[in-house]
Each structure stands twice: as structure tokens, then as C-alpha cells.
Amino acid sequence: MEYTRLRGIGVSPGIAIGEVFLTARVIFTQPKEYIPPHRVEEELARLRAATERTREEIGRLKAEIEARIGEEHAFIFDAHLLILDDPAMRAGLDRLIREENVRAESALSEIHENYRRIFESIADEYFKQRQSDVTDVLIKIYKNLAADGPAVPEDSQGKILVAHELLPSEAALRLSQGGVLAVALDMGGQTSHAAILARSLNIPTVVGLRNVTAKVTGRDRLIVDGTDGEVIINPPLMVRKEFQSKKVKYEAYRQELRRVATWASVTLDGVRFAPMANIELPEEIGHALSYGAEGVGLFRSEFIYLQRSTLPTEEEHFEIYSRLAREVFPRPVYIRTIDIGGEKALPQLKIEAEPNPALGLRAIRFSLRNRELFRIQIRAILRASVRRNIRIIIPMITEMEEIGEIRVLFREAREELTSQGHPFDPGVPLGIMIEVPAAAAIADLLAREVDFFSIGTNDLLQYYLAVDRSNEYVSYLYKPLHPAALRLLKHVIGSAIRQGKDVALCGEMAADPLLAIVLLGLGLRTFSMNPIFIPRVKKALRAVEVRTVRRVVQQAMKLRSAQEVEEFIIEKLLLKYPDAFLMTGPSF
Ligand code: PEP
Ligand code: MG
């Protein structure tokens, strides 16, 4: 048995060693099969019957998953029902059968190919991953075309699941059974449903391995290292021993995470701070809270559009926001209105390509040009605010006038809701993202106009330092400790504090222990980040005293470069507070 090592993307940390369970790859018919014209009606009826069987199947799966691992994981099946009923898709299938006289199987295959091409042209990784929902539904209809319906899945318990792709419903069904040791997939990315689910169920998972299904057989033994993104086929004894000890260390680390999650968020000198979670899907709430999140500091609402192939209605928006508010209650939820446009294209909307998308029609600029979409979203958020734990964030504010326009729209939405008898929180706080340098520069003026700031350092620093972080030629210039960045952040945080307004930071900077300590010294108290980083940031902030950190940061601000700042801070703080830098953890 050959010993091979494969590299992929680790999307759920942890290590598992065990036997393989290889799931069959689902493929549509190739080549095309035709029917004689007089059989068209019969073929359409066959397709309709399969669609109805699929509807029942999705309903059954939903109930089963709900009972097994809770409502939050059954959510994708609602999305699947919407895809199943998508008028454009159904019309496309009917047209292919009626006009091109193809078999229902071939029509499904062609529609699938069309969707694949659309999704492939999308730059945003998360949006791209949503193709699997469409595939999932189409495959279900496909299998239901067979007279005997879909096969009962075999048992993958106690084994390592290896598959080409784990479609969302399959992921929910198999992973929720408990007992799957790990997952290794050819396809997938960080934000695929399988990855999100595996993380929340703590199943070590590596995706994007390209050809793991071609390399393994059902007789092989595997190691899956979800922390470092590696899969090892038929490891020799030495390698097995090495990973056994890595597994023991990782498990000790997880124990530590669980302990830290229950600790109070308070510095050594008694100052409270609040770690919060950035999430993209309501399904992530349980996971975020288990890491010690004291609320959702950023819900990226644009991701709602990815759950479906048509535009979400006000009711659909409302259900999602209500669910967030309910499940996070009594903690706060910061809902950000959509940040789409630019490179975040949406299949449902015809957004024109722009020559310079990062500086183009995105976020609030897009919403103010698409007022009806914006109005629907505002109404839904307000309606969901009855528990009084929702806060609204407007992304990419550049100038004062935008706030004026937004206030008018909010007033109109409130008046409408009142006249229609819908209850809402009249005092729902309205805040803005500070992520355009011009907004940061006038933070003192903006702080008078809004209820809070949320600093988006991912965009703010890329615009301020003129550096695209994903461009390998210039990414070395992306330095959050650049003295210019520190001056700007000090001004923004200080402006909010002087006006008595809340200020949070939700860029990736908040997830780095050293940078979080610097931000604490600049006066920040609310840190929102990918939930997996909460324990290490919490541990770092608990280990320092604000009075010392403030003084050290003030001195560091007089230095000339990011490197000098970093060295100075480490030198001054490491010896005094060694615990602050002890916890590193998985590197994603
Ligand atoms: C940011 O820009 O820092 C931010 C949190 O927003 P996003 O990453 O969604 O652009
Ligand atoms: Mg941003």
C-alpha cells in the first residue's frame, strides 16, 4: 500500500487517523439523450413527478436534521426549496425538453452546466461555493427520476469520509450522524457548507485536495490533519506516531479553548472588553457563542443573497434577522446592510463590470442607487428589532451627505411600518463602518451624527496604505502598525469616545493578539473577529493592564516605522506580561 501525502486547505482543525469511506461521485448523463416529439408531455410529467418527490425528500431531510442537530443546521433545506421552485430554472428545464426534445436527465445536466459557468465567473469565493446548493438540488431531481428513487446512504460511521464534493444536504446528513472521524474532499473552500458544518461539529476537514478520490481506495488508512491542511495515505509507523502526539497536543489545546471561552472578558486591571463574532451565515451562531463571543459584531448580510437564486423577499430577510436576534439574545447583533457591487457580483442582479471595482459602486453606494432593494432590507431589519438587541451598520460611508440620505430613508421606513402596524425598536442604533480614509479623517464630525462606529480595517488599511493585500508584489506594505495607520486609528477611536459613542473594530486586525493589545491601548473595547480567534485574543487582553498598554502605545506612536513600533511593543510588554503571547492556535 503506497504512502502518499497530499496538501489541501484545512477548514476545520484537528487530527484523525482511521479507515476510508469513499462516497461515489455523482455525475450527470453525458452525452445528451433525445426523445421523440410525441413523448414531450410524458417527459415533462416525469420531471414534475421527480420534482415533487424531491420536495418531499427535502422536507424529510429537513425534519431529520432539525431533530438531530437543531434548527440552525436545517436552514439550508429552505434554501433548497427556493432553488427547487426557482421559476427561471424550471422554465429552462421545460424549454429544453419542449424545444430541444432532450430527456429530463439531459436537461438537468445542461442547466447544471449553465449554472456552473455563471458561478465560475464570480470572483468572490463564498459566492462561488453556493454553486453546490444548486448542484445538490439538481442531483436530487436527477436521482428521483429513476423509478426506485434515491439510494439509502451507506454507513460512514467511525470512518474518514472521502468524496469528490460533499453537497450541502449530504454534508448535513452524514456529518450530523455523529461518528464520522474526518472529511477529505477534492473540491470545496473555507466557506462551503461542508466546511462550515464540519467546523461547528468539530470534525477535522481538509478540502481542495483535487484528486484524493483518485488516490485512495476503501482499503487504505488515512491521517487527516485539518489544522495544517494535509492528508496522508497509508502512513508508516513513524508518521503515525508523530501525528498521534500532534493529536494529543491539539486536543489539549481545544480543552484550553473551551476553558478560555468561559472566562470573563476583563483585563488584569479590571477593564471590561467585549469579544464578538464576525459571521456570514446564521448557522454559525452556535459555533461563535461556544468560542465565547459576547454577541455578533458583524453579520455580513450580503451572504443572504447566496442562499438563493432569486432576490430575497422582505419576509425572507425578516426571518433571517429575527433568527439572529432571537438566537443571540440578550447579546447584541450588528447587522451590516449589503456590501455588494464591485467584485462581489450577484447572479440575481445584472451588475455591470467596472474598471476599478474597489473604488466603484459598492456597499452603501450600491444601496443608494438601488433604493427598492435597500428599502426592503431596512424594513426587514427594523421589523426584526423588537427584542432591542439589533444594531445597524452602514458600510463604506464616504461623506456626510450619505448619512442625511440614509436618515430620510429610515424615517420613511419607520413611518410606513407604523402605519402598517408593524412593531419595531424606535431606538435601534444606527452606526457606520469607518473603512474609507476620508470618513476616518472626518471621524470627529461623523461621530456627532451616528450612534456608533465599526472600524473595517481590512478596507480602511488597503485604501489608506494603497495596498491590495492579495497582490503578492505589494502585500509586504500592508502593515497595521505603520505609524500612519496608528495615527488614523487613534483619531477614529478617540473621536467616538469624545462624543460618548461606541466604537468597535471588525477587521482582521482585531484577531491578532499583539494588534488587539495595541488597539486596547488606543481605547478600543469591542473587538469583532472570526470566532475561532476569540479565545487567543481574550487570553492576550486578559493578561495585560490597560494603564501600561496605553502608555507603551503612546510612546510607540512617536516611532518612525512599523518595525520599530512592533519591536518596541514586544520589548516593553513581553517581559512584563508573558502570558499575553502564549496562545497561538490554528493559523486560519
Ligand atoms: C473590513 O473592511 O474590515 C470589513 C470588516 O469588511 P469586509 O471584510 O466585509 O469588507
Ligand atoms: Mg469592508
Side-chain angles (χ1 to χ4, degrees):
M1 292 209 192
E2 206 184 329
Y3 163 49
T4 320
R5 298 178 82 128
L6 301 175
R7 282 244 150 242
I9 313 165
V11 293
S12 177
I15 290 168
I17 305 175
E19 286 171 22
V20 169
F21 177 86
L22 198 58
T23 68
R25 182 170 178 175
V26 225
I27 350 173
F28 289 107
T29 34
Q30 315 279 342
K32 252 188 207 173
E33 290 178 77
Y34 292 91
I35 46 163
H38 68 267
R39 287 222 5 237
V40 161
E41 291 310 321
E42 199 182 309
E43 199 62 16
L44 287 170
R46 225 180 120 236
L47 178 65
R48 270 193 292 279
T51 306
E52 286 322 302
R53 279 201 290 275
T54 304
R55 186 187 313 287
E56 285 158 24
E57 186 188 346
I58 296 174
R60 272 198 312 277
L61 282 171
K62 184 174 180 219
E64 197 175 328
I65 299 299
E66 244 166 31
R68 236 192 250 164
I69 47 173
E71 200 188 337
E72 69 271 26
H73 297 290
F75 195 66
I76 49 159
F77 297 106
D78 293 327
H80 287 189
L81 287 174
L82 286 165
I83 296 172
L84 189 72
D85 287 327
D86 177 36
M89 189 174 90
R90 295 188 72 154
L93 288 167
D94 284 6
R95 194 193 57 75
L96 282 164
I97 296 173
R98 213 181 276 287
E99 292 172 18
E100 294 189 22
N101 295 169
V102 295
R103 277 192 85 194
E105 281 87 346
S106 301
L108 285 163
S109 168
E110 185 152 339
I111 290 282
H112 179 251
E113 185 53 27
N114 292 347
Y115 274 97
R116 196 187 59 75
R117 274 201 296 271
I118 295 172
F119 278 99
E120 228 168 52
S121 63
I122 297 172
D124 187 278
E125 194 45 39
Y126 184 93
F127 283 56
K128 220 176 202 157
Q129 291 296 334
R130 303 283 68 79
Q131 190 208 326
S132 59
D133 287 300
V134 176
T135 306
D136 201 334
V137 173
L138 292 174
I139 285 200
K140 279 201 172 56
I141 307 175
Y142 189 91
K143 288 182 176 169
N144 276 311
L145 281 168
D148 46 0
V152 181
E154 301 152 76
D155 195 6
S156 43
Q157 303 230 342
K159 297 202 172 158
I160 292 176
L161 189 63
V162 179
H164 177 66
E165 183 182 17
L166 209 49
L167 296 171
S169 67
E170 214 182 349
L173 199 62
R174 288 198 183 277
L175 303 187
S176 69
Q177 278 172 344
V180 169
L181 294 183
V183 177
L185 305 179
D186 290 339
M187 308 282 285
Q190 277 293 357
T191 49
S192 59
H193 272 302
I196 292 169
L197 197 62
R199 269 201 296 278
S200 66
L201 297 173
N202 290 325
I203 300 172
T205 298
V206 180
V207 303
L209 287 153
R210 292 198 192 88
N211 58 355
V212 64
T213 46
K215 298 251 173 182
V216 302
T217 69
R219 294 183 305 282
D220 291 329
R221 282 186 71 79
L222 286 194
I223 296 177
V224 173
D225 179 351
T227 310
D228 286 333
E230 199 177 13
V231 169
I232 301 157
I233 307 170
N234 298 319
L237 188 62
M238 283 303 291
V239 178
R240 280 213 303 276
K241 279 196 176 148
E242 178 200 331
F243 276 85
Q244 273 297 357
S245 84
K246 197 169 171 189
K247 183 168 155 62
V248 170
K249 279 199 203 116
Y250 178 73
E251 268 147 28
Y253 167 74
R254 278 211 69 87
Q255 289 284 344
E256 170 87 344
L257 281 189
R258 272 193 283 272
R259 265 182 341 114
V260 177
T262 63
W263 292 350
S265 303
V266 54
T267 64
L268 206 55
D269 53 348
V271 177
R272 282 205 55 85
F273 60 90
M276 302 231 190
N278 292 351
I279 64 171
E280 274 103 48
L281 296 171
E283 285 93 326
E284 293 174 278
I285 297 171
H287 173 66
L289 299 181
S290 76
Y291 276 103
E294 294 180 10
V296 169
L298 173 64
F299 174 65
R300 292 183 164 102
S301 69
E302 56 273 18
F303 288 89
I304 294 173
Y305 288 76
L306 274 307
Q307 298 279 345
R308 60 206 76 232
S309 51
T310 50
L311 285 173
T313 61
E314 181 178 317
E315 287 314 302
E316 284 158 359
H317 276 286
F318 172 67
E319 269 173 37
I320 293 169
Y321 306 140
S322 300
R323 177 174 170 205
L324 279 166
R326 186 176 65 242
E327 291 185 13
V328 178
F329 187 80
R331 308 169 194 89
V333 184
Y334 291 71
I335 297 175
R336 184 175 72 182
T337 61
I338 51 174
D339 182 3
I340 48 176
E343 79 281 6
K344 282 185 190 167
L346 276 193
Q348 301 98 323
L349 294 172
K350 288 194 182 55
I351 299 176
E352 278 173 42
E354 293 175 292
N356 208 341
L359 304 181
L361 187 66
R362 61 176 277 205
I364 188 59
R365 304 168 181 185
F366 176 88
S367 294
L368 288 176
R369 258 186 93 108
N370 292 276
R371 298 261 166 134
E372 188 48 26
L373 277 183
F374 195 40
R375 192 180 73 91
I376 287 174
Q377 182 170 35
I378 297 174
R379 281 176 55 100
I381 303 177
L382 285 173
R383 284 175 55 202
S385 68
V386 285
R387 286 189 172 76
R388 307 200 171 206
N389 62 336
I390 284 185
R391 300 176 190 178
I392 303 176
I393 319 181
I394 309 292
M396 288 282 288
I397 288 286
T398 310
E399 57 170 24
M400 197 62 84
E401 285 80 347
E402 288 165 328
I403 298 178
E405 278 188 72
I406 292 159
R407 288 236 176 260
V408 171
L409 296 175
F410 268 82
R411 195 171 50 241
E412 284 170 7
R414 284 197 183 94
E415 283 165 8
E416 261 175 37
L417 292 177
T418 308
S419 69
Q420 292 163 351
H422 287 296
F424 59 87
D425 171 8
V428 59
L430 182 66
I432 55 173
M433 293 282 292
I434 300 286
E435 49 188 347
V436 174
I442 58 164
D444 50 331
L445 305 175
L446 292 170
R448 299 198 184 113
E449 303 299 320
V450 297
D451 297 316
F452 65 89
F453 286 164
S454 181
I455 310 175
T457 43
N458 301 346
D459 279 315
L460 181 60
L461 295 183
Q462 93 158 342
Y463 292 134
Y464 196 46
L465 302 172
V467 173
D468 173 0
R469 256 189 323 165
S470 53
N471 178 339
E472 57 179 308
Y473 298 111
V474 294
S475 59
Y476 72 96
L477 287 168
Y478 188 90
K479 291 177 181 152
L481 293 180
H482 188 306
L486 293 182
R487 289 180 198 192
L488 192 70
L489 290 168
K490 182 176 180 217
H491 173 64
V492 175
I493 297 169
S495 297
I497 294 173
R498 282 188 288 280
Q499 289 295 326
K501 303 289 167 76
D502 285 341
V503 52
L505 189 142
C506 59
E508 274 166 50
M509 201 179 162
D512 180 295
L514 178 73
L515 301 178
I517 290 173
V518 171
L519 292 166
L520 184 78
L522 291 174
L524 192 78
R525 299 292 177 262
T526 305
F527 302 77
S528 195
M529 67 201 85
N530 180 329
I532 59 171
F533 297 122
I534 290 177
R536 73 175 193 195
V537 168
K538 190 170 177 179
K539 211 170 167 194
L541 298 182
R542 278 175 53 96
V544 297
E545 288 161 300
V546 170
R547 53 175 168 266
T548 313
V549 171
R550 195 189 299 132
R551 185 171 35 78
V552 170
V553 171
Q554 263 162 18
Q555 289 164 352
M557 296 215 33
K558 301 197 184 99
L559 299 170
R560 295 174 309 160
S561 72
Q563 191 179 341
E564 284 180 21
V565 171
E566 183 166 353
E567 282 168 7
F568 180 79
I569 288 173
I570 291 178
E571 183 196 311
K572 293 286 176 202
L573 299 180
L574 186 60
L575 278 181
K576 197 165 161 69
Y577 308 114
D579 285 356
F581 301 93
L582 275 185
M583 196 171 185
T584 47
S587 54
F588 67 89

